[in-house]
Amino acid sequence: MNEQTLFHKIRDKQIPSSIVYEDDEVMAFKDIHPKAPTHLLFIAKKDTDFVPSIDDLNEATAHVPGLLIRKAQAFAKAHGISGYQLKFHVGKGGGQEVFYLHLHFLSEQKIEA
Ligand code: 5GP
């Protein structure tokens, strides 16, 4: 069984978070230490989509970054956000702290959620 990370607990709602978007595949919640007026984290929810880091992608999980980017794009469109940054921190040397693949979504534009 995979080690349970902080984001597993957020995904499973054992730890509260400000969820701004959720469907069967993906959840997005506000970063607790925002680095922009809007700073969200997108994660894939399915256990079969779990991967610790970009560095660990394999054939079975190669679609996950694209899934997160597609959902972030749809979220931006739905909220009228025209400019934003998408980032993956990769490995400790890349600033990654939580080893549950997540996409940072940052924008100077604020969302209402
Ligand atoms: P990383 O550096 O691993 O790419 O990003 C992890 C992010 O998770 C950081 O930006 C950090 O602020 C955020 N974070 C850490 N703990 C919590 C938490 O308990 N709740 C939420 N919503 N975000 C967290």
Side-chain angles (χ1 to χ4, degrees), residues 6-7 29-33 89 95-98 102 104:
L6 174 66
F7 289 175
F29 51 93
K30 293 184 182 179
D31 195 295
I32 206 166
H33 296 125
H89 295 164
Q96 186 174 2
E97 292 169 5
V98 181
H102 52 280
H104 290 261

Side-chain angles (χ1 to χ4, degrees), residues 11-104:
R11 178 196 71 179
D12 296 342
K13 295 168 184 151
Q14 293 162 3
I15 291 178
S17 67
S18 296
I19 298 168
V20 296
Y21 177 79
E22 186 168 13
D23 62 25
D24 287 348
E25 296 177 302
V26 162
M27 175 191 283
F29 51 93
K30 293 184 182 179
D31 195 295
I32 206 166
H33 296 125
K35 300 204 169 48
T38 296
H39 186 175
L40 310 176
L41 302 170
F42 282 76
I43 62 169
K45 287 169 55 175
K46 294 178 184 166
D47 283 331
T48 49
D49 282 345
F50 173 74
V51 59
S53 172
I54 289 283
D55 205 30
D56 301 302
L57 289 175
N58 58 29
E59 277 186 35
T61 51
H63 62 282
V64 177
L67 171 69
L68 298 179
I69 291 169
R70 194 160 52 78
K71 298 289 181 172
Q73 177 215 32
F75 181 90
K77 273 195 178 26
H79 289 267
I81 296 180
S82 55
Y84 51 95
Q85 296 181 331
L86 300 177
K87 292 186 187 175
F88 291 104
H89 295 164
V90 185
K92 284 203 166 80
Q96 186 174 2
E97 292 169 5
V98 181
F99 284 79
Y100 185 126
L101 185 67
H102 52 280
L103 177 65
H104 290 261

